[in-house]
Amino acid sequence: MTNLRFQVVAEAFKKKPLDVKVPTERPYEFFGKNVFNREKMYKYLPKDVYEKLIDVIDNGTRLDRSIADAVAAGIKQWATENGVTHYTHWFQPLTEGTAEKHDSFIEHDFKGGMVEEFSGKLLVQQEPDASSFPSGGIRNTFEARGYSAWDPTSPVFIMDDTLCIPTIFISYTGEALDYKAPLLRTLHAVNVAATDVCHYFYPDVKKVQSNLGWEQEYFLVDEGLYSARPDLLLTGRTLMGHDSAKNQQMDDHYFGTIPDRVQAFMKDLEIKALEMAIPCKTRHNEVAPNQFELAPIFEETNLAVDHNMLLMSLMKKVARKHGFRVLLHEKPFAGINGSGKHNNWSLSTDTGVLLHGPGKTAVDNLRFVVFIVETLMGVYRHNGLLKASIMSATNAHRLGANEAPPAIISSFLGKQLSELLDHIEKADKEDLFSLMGKQGLKLDIPEIPELLIDNTDRNRTSPFAFTGNRFEFRAVGSEANCASAMIALNSAVAEALVNFKKRVDALIEKGEEKTSAIIEVIREDIKTCKPVRFDGNGYSDEWVEEAKRRGLDCEKSCPVIFERYLDKESIEMFESLGVMSKKELEARNEVKWETYTKKIQIEARVMGDLSMNHIIPVATHYQSQLLKNVQNMRNIFPTDKAEKLSARNMKLIEEIAERTETIERGVEELVNARKVANKIEDEHLKAIAYHDTVAPKMETIRYQIDKLELIVEDDLWTLPKYRELLFIR
């Protein structure tokens, strides 16, 4: 009987690219086709209602419930004209995914028939069941009530036959049960704090917004091969598998020609994303085989987060159409690059970008330095919290390995900017300072014109690098909700700006001239946050020791890292800014610990199942074949010659016996470790037990399985191997 693995590999090689129906219009013409954007608002809403809604979106004014019915009527008219029959409040619970409950527009007409209705009340608020979503103890199972409330700053959109309404999700008692509610609060906090500081330099600034440009990395695996790997199916990663002889060591996949089948998938995905107003800009091969990246143009942070969550759903849907499965796990394959979601973050006003390089005036230069330094102050004061915001059971596999940044939060500024801050710190306060925005770089190739380079180079090992007009938070994981990192970062920066202004104002009240007061405070902060600045190799052992000396958080245990959310400094920051209460933070940590435990628990169960029902039976079957061969040798040849001819097989027989015994013993120890951990009632301590006693045993078992993969006859091995998973086009 033919090995099923060979069948699915053969089928994968036969697959051809699908034909993608490309719109006849140019991309800008169908951009936002399925989104109720401003153009459609203007068309479908009364003028006064349109103006009030735009005021809510642009200026953060409170939504006037009196216009809700008119807005709902306009949205419904647009939606039904496009074949929509249902609506849903689309929200982001603490599951790292999205949630939706579909309701049809139909209602009784009380005459024996039905009518289609969609009121302002249904648009603005719904009451989904909150008991089955993670709440960290805020809600009991018998207390099911929760509310979803419309976020008008994120446009509604159409997915298939359903109108999707972006919403927040809160408990009956008002605590946030999602990512969007605290994200909106922190965006408000950073707007207020940054606007106040901006007024030192530009009194006409009315608003500061946080911007986000994410870079989504992902793997594609043929659907048949995916289905033949229970570990991929159930955990999102391969729990076993020996390195392919060729993986990424030739550097030939990065920026290489995109395979035809993948190109068809990308084209289809981009069309659907553009119809949803997701401004896809970049696509390319990533470093690891079968790894790719998609990146959009910068957007306001709340909208960017929604678009990323929507895109991940679209990716999975479109991939299946093309015979692929998308892997968003941060480390689906050992030994090659994992996937991140670099979060490019900046602040901008209604008049310009605050983190853009210095301008031609002293005011511009001082503004630039203030916002750079206060961002670093936020990162320094809460470096442990920022690490906690990007940490997960899945991302822990990636950090510090194969070009991912290490699990120590530091910031790379580049030589020129670092020298500028050092100069300000050490020079006399009265000294003026300036910095070129761009400098020319001449190449000795006449066909290539003069290039303009940023004032910073790139450091691939830096988790938080300044890259010209923004910071790149590179430690965020590929399957994470960007909101988690953005909540922590924007809050930390907002707190730093509030503290900065408080100290500057105190000096001004004492009679200090404004510019002099700003320079004095900024010099203090440059010195204070200096430990978080690091331009060297983040992978080196020396940096770990140096980071410890600097007082940076070097903890590696995922459950322990989560504790940073409950540090006194973290609680005080979130509460003072009105982002989250202590109760909400405690609840979220309960969810994080419980989620960590469940993920490791599932992996351990799958590991045990595969070991006992796939690996050991296959290995012992091959062992039996070898034993039969040895016996036949002894029946045919003289004893001395038989011993010589069967020596290699005897060695393999012994090795298989030793490795399978180690695996069986390891599985037994793994099961016992789980049983002990499961008896721990405290979620925090249970998560630590799973990290310390369960997860390491899985690595021990994997080592033995990967060695067996090299020994056992290829025809017998049932699980698709790395060379097959990673090189199907």
Side-chain angles (χ1 to χ4, degrees), residues 507-538:
L507 290 176
I508 293 174
E509 288 177 6
K510 293 179 180 178
E512 188 92 18
E513 190 271 330
K514 182 181 72 174
T515 301
S516 177
I518 291 172
I519 292 175
E520 183 171 329
V521 173
I522 212 66
R523 279 158 57 94
E524 294 174 1
D525 288 352
I526 289 172
K527 186 174 182 179
T528 299
C529 70
K530 200 167 187 176
V532 84
R533 288 163 45 195
F534 178 66
D535 290 357
N537 179 12

Side-chain angles (χ1 to χ4, degrees), residues 315 321 397 430 545 628 660:
M315 290 174 76
K321 174 182 172 183
H397 292 288
E430 290 76 19
E545 295 304 315
K628 185 175 181 180
T660 54

Side-chain angles (χ1 to χ4, degrees), residues 542-555:
E542 291 79 8
W543 165 234
V544 176
E545 295 304 315
E546 173 64 21
K548 290 178 182 177
R549 286 193 291 272
R550 294 186 183 192
L552 301 181
D553 192 310
C554 299
E555 180 59 57

